[in-house]
Amino acid sequence: PIGNNNNNCQLSTVNRQLIITPALAFDRQGNRLGRGKGYYDRLLSQIEASTPIYKIGVCFPFQLLESIPHDSFDIPMDEVICS
């Protein structure tokens, strides 16, 4: 998501099976550290409310950490791919 206000974003009704998600960092449990606005967490929870989806995080090796701070509302990835 780009910009400050994505509340008007409409999701298509196409059957989704996979989403690839960027982040500043991931940990080995699939938690992601974003930019602190919760855009992806809101988007992922909205999508998963209607259909299950497999979530993949992508990162460079320096972005994969042992652990990062996370809250109960943060949506973890199912898999993290590191180049």
Side-chain angles (χ1 to χ4, degrees):
I2 298 172
N4 294 328
N5 186 352
N6 288 318
N7 294 335
N8 296 327
C9 179
Q10 296 295 319
L11 297 175
S12 71
T13 57
V14 174
N15 185 11
R16 293 169 213 82
Q17 297 177 354
L18 171 73
I19 188 165
I20 298 174
T21 309
L24 296 175
F26 293 96
D27 68 16
R28 298 189 181 278
Q29 293 74 43
N31 297 304
R32 61 179 296 277
L33 181 63
R35 299 190 63 128
K37 302 286 186 177
Y39 292 131
Y40 278 98
D41 293 316
R42 286 193 300 275
L43 175 68
L44 292 171
S45 65
Q46 184 179 358
I47 292 171
E48 287 197 318
S50 62
T51 184
I53 191 163
Y54 194 76
K55 302 166 297 297
I56 296 178
V58 293
C59 67
F60 293 106
F62 69 88
Q63 293 173 291
L64 185 60
L65 308 174
E66 286 300 318
S67 68
I68 58 171
H70 61 281
D71 290 311
S72 60
F73 54 82
D74 291 331
I75 308 289
M77 301 293 102
D78 296 305
E79 182 177 347
V80 176
I81 297 174
C82 186
S83 65

